[in-house]
Amino acid sequence: QSALTQPPSASGSPGQSVTISCTGTSSDVGGSNYVSWYQQHPGKAPKLMIYEVSKRPSGVPDRFSGSKSGNTASLTVSGLQAEDEADYYCTSYADNNSWVFGTGTKVTVL
Amino acid sequence: QVQLVESGGGVVQPGRSLRLSCAASGFTFSRFGMHWVRQAPGKGLEWVAMIWYDGSNKYYGDSVKGRITISRDQSKNTLYLQMNSLRVEDTAVYYCARDVDRFFDYWGQGTLVTVSS
């Protein structure tokens, strides 16, 4: 169960877009539609932002969107706002009844 | 509203045991699978264990398999994590989270476990 690979950091100015990648294998991301994304502010619990690759829970702004191509999933935050500054983690259900998280990406709003 | 409240964390010596609890409220506990996820200080999230809604199936991460047992008490709406043979590397904040079709929709605030001599 190796962690999914995410870039350590990403940044953008207010109003810009940032895209975070999440790379796994055919045993997890590539073979699963159960990819989800979580936002975590310092000292807080993670919050669900995207599930099943591209679906948004109610209450999550439509500035957040998800996609997947092959073994790589992506989270895009459009129209960056100050409150979007946080750590973001992807996760995927894997084919051996397990879940694997990404390494995490710190998003900075410049 | 859905609430998950973890408890039972603390400082424990290597090799000792500890049991964490997660009290659930605001939803029908017996209808949902539940997870434990941990986060070492300054590190990323790591999936630990999952139990089906009825307790009939349990799954564990490789790093804890054989040392940790997940269980639930439907009558008390409580999830547990029994941790044995604790190691320094088990030091982390432990979160419980509700499962909805293989994603985690609600999380508790976490309980800190520190393994140190």
Side-chain angles (χ1 to χ4, degrees), chain A residues 75 85 87:
Chain A
L75 174 72
E85 185 161 296
D87 293 327

Side-chain angles (χ1 to χ4, degrees), chain A residues 1 34 36 38 40 43-48 50-52 87 89 91 93 96-103, chain B residues 35 37 39 43-47 50 59-63 65 95 99-105 107-109:
Chain A
Q1 293 173 340
Y34 299 106
S36 50
Y38 302 85
Q40 187 181 35
K44 300 295 186 181
K47 174 187 175 184
L48 175 67
I50 294 287
Y51 66 99
E52 291 178 11
D87 293 327
Y89 294 91
T91 190
Y93 176 71
N96 57 351
N97 292 314
S98 65
W99 283 258
V100 58
F101 278 93
T103 49
Chain B
H35 297 263
V37 176
Q39 185 170 36
K43 303 297 184 181
L45 300 171
E46 179 188 12
W47 175 73
M50 186 272 184
Y59 307 111
Y60 299 94
D62 287 344
S63 64
K65 207 170 289 185
Y95 296 100
D99 180 277
V100 176
D101 204 14
R102 300 179 181 86
F103 61 90
F104 319 105
D105 66 340
W107 298 63
Q109 285 305 301

Side-chain angles (χ1 to χ4, degrees), chain B residues 57 62 75:
Chain B
N57 284 288
D62 287 344
S75 68

Side-chain angles (χ1 to χ4, degrees), chain A residues 13-18 63 77-82 84:
Chain A
S13 299
Q16 290 187 332
S17 295
V18 64
R63 303 184 291 102
V77 186
S78 305
L80 268 174
Q81 298 183 5
D84 299 333

